[in-house]
Amino acid sequence: MDKVKIPPHDGPILSVVDMHTGGEPLRVIVSGYPEVKGESVLAKRRYVRDNLDHLRRVLMFEPRGHYDMYGALVVKSELSDAHLGVLFMHNEGYSTMCGHAVIALGRFAVDYGLVEAPQSPETQVNIHCPCGLVKAFVEYCNGRAGKVRFHSVPAFAFAIDVAVSVPGYGEVLVDIGYGGAFYAIVSAEKFGLDVKTSRTRDLVDIATAVSNAVKSQVELHHPTSPDLAFLYGTILTDGKDTFSQEPTANVCVFADAQVDRSPTGSGVTARIALQYYKGLIQLNETRTFQSGATGSLFTGRAVEETKCGDFKAVVVEVAGQAHYTGIASFVLENDDSLKDGFLLK
């Protein structure tokens, strides 16, 4: 067969482009969604959460996805200088920022014509995320997009050495950083673990325990919107926060115990913000971050001081590479008892 035809189905056809950045999947939804209502990207995030969440489950959950699937729905932005708006989705709901997705979407936007007349050697793509406008810079040569770097929304240290009670470990000091989303950040060594050699399940269990402790014991707030004031996950690190030419490794566990295969773009942003706040890194010092899960690499550097409300903040540049893995058209059949998706835990 030269062409695979769409099988019998009921309802819309959901068409996607699948990518990965450093091993972390991104399913870009290009058609099949109903109109997403809302005057702003944040309002659209609330709308899909309240009205279209069944489609997230269809595309993220088995049998079409898996426990650690990640998705992006391209939407219209209310900002005149944005090339596209985006809503991020995962196994639990909808996040406010995703660096690995921004890297992938930068390339996608150039390759799929969302940016008119891309320029060599680099094309700017303005991506309106729920946390704000993120500027991506996409390598472009001979009609093909390549590596991507992006400039974050203002990132800041929310709290340093916060004491939380973690079952089985007593009082543990963690840092909380914001990189478009809030993360608790702590060295895995405090729990007798290593982010590169310990079992993933052990890392997930302790990261989840830390996230639960922070959620129940620390009140977060964001200067611009209450929609942003929630803990997205915990990043376990190798403890190597002082600037070095050697990579520093981490594993991020977010949403409902979902494991990031990449070094985590918004997590890199939060780690750089914390390191800058502590005086461990200077402006324009480039640090390499390694995924403890796959060994893939991002780079990060603080490029500009700024403010976010009363917080001293920095704009962080994160760079990485995304690749395509395929395209798909997903369908549903009404007599399929599992059509709406399921997860195994």
Side-chain angles (χ1 to χ4, degrees):
M1 294 186 297
D2 293 332
K3 185 177 181 180
V4 178
K5 70 176 184 179
I6 299 296
H9 63 281
D10 302 295
I13 300 169
L14 295 161
S15 295
V16 304
V17 174
D18 277 355
M19 306 178 73
H20 82 92
T21 310
E24 179 68 1
L26 184 70
R27 175 160 286 168
V28 185
I29 304 158
V30 295
S31 67
Y33 253 68
E35 178 188 1
V36 178
K37 298 178 182 179
E39 295 184 356
S40 67
V41 166
L42 268 177
K44 287 179 169 69
R45 176 176 176 265
R46 291 191 291 269
Y47 181 85
V48 297
R49 182 190 63 200
D50 296 340
N51 298 279
L52 300 175
D53 197 52
H54 61 288
L55 293 177
R56 174 188 65 86
R57 296 192 297 271
V58 164
L59 289 172
M60 297 298 103
F61 290 8
E62 295 185 51
R64 301 168 192 86
H66 54 82
Y67 194 88
D68 296 295
M69 179 55 78
Y70 203 96
L73 176 64
V74 177
V75 297
K76 292 181 180 179
S77 167
E78 72 273 18
L79 302 180
S80 61
D81 54 346
H83 292 98
L84 67 152
V86 62
L87 303 177
F88 304 118
M89 61 184 71
H90 45 69
N91 70 6
E92 188 179 49
Y94 304 88
S95 55
T96 54
M97 173 57 187
C98 178
H100 95 272
V102 165
I103 291 170
L105 287 167
R107 185 177 181 195
F108 172 86
V110 172
D111 288 335
Y112 278 77
L114 300 184
V115 179
E116 294 183 6
Q119 303 293 312
S120 295
E122 196 173 60
T123 294
Q124 182 171 331
V125 181
N126 295 335
I127 302 173
H128 188 185
C129 305
C131 65
L133 189 68
V134 176
K135 296 178 179 179
F137 304 89
V138 184
E139 289 183 2
Y140 185 72
C141 183
N142 297 323
R144 188 167 179 169
K147 294 180 180 179
V148 178
R149 60 187 179 94
F150 70 82
H151 286 181
S152 73
V153 296
F156 55 87
F158 179 82
I160 303 296
D161 288 338
V162 179
V164 293
S165 178
V166 179
Y169 294 91
E171 188 175 274
V172 177
L173 299 181
V174 304
D175 295 336
I176 299 175
Y178 179 81
F182 282 102
Y183 293 98
I185 300 175
V186 60
S187 172
E189 293 179 352
K190 291 187 177 182
F191 310 99
L193 299 174
D194 184 295
V195 293
K196 293 198 286 187
T197 62
S198 293
R199 292 193 318 157
T200 301
R201 174 48 52 195
D202 294 336
L203 295 169
V204 168
D205 288 346
I206 193 59
T208 301
V210 172
S211 289
N212 290 339
V214 172
K215 288 176 182 178
S216 64
Q217 299 169 42
V218 181
E219 184 176 354
L220 300 179
H221 63 87
H222 190 277
T224 64
S225 173
D227 284 359
L228 305 177
F230 65 93
L231 189 78
Y232 189 31
T234 289
I235 298 174
L236 300 175
T237 78
D238 58 7
K240 298 177 181 178
D241 290 333
T242 302
F243 177 74
S244 169
Q245 298 295 337
E246 295 297 316
T248 174
N250 55 238
V251 168
C252 175
V253 180
F254 65 97
D256 185 9
Q258 191 162 336
V259 181
D260 196 333
R261 275 72 168 156
S262 80
T264 309
S266 54
V268 166
T269 303
R271 287 193 67 191
I272 287 284
L274 284 164
Q275 291 169 8
Y276 187 79
Y277 179 86
K278 294 178 180 181
L280 301 176
I281 194 170
Q282 304 303 311
L283 285 179
N284 294 311
E285 285 187 329
T286 300
R287 194 84 199 269
T288 300
F289 293 80
Q290 182 181 42
S291 165
T294 64
S296 59
L297 302 174
F298 288 171
T299 60
R301 64 185 180 123
V303 295
E304 178 188 345
E305 290 184 337
T306 185
K307 295 275 287 185
C308 186
D310 293 331
F311 291 101
K312 293 182 179 179
V314 286
V315 174
V316 177
E317 180 181 282
V318 178
Q321 172 81 60
H323 293 91
Y324 295 103
T325 57
I327 59 174
S329 295
F330 293 108
V331 298
L332 294 82
E333 293 185 279
N334 287 338
D335 63 351
D336 178 3
S337 64
L338 299 177
K339 66 180 183 297
D340 295 324
F342 63 92
L343 287 180
L344 298 181
K345 295 186 178 182

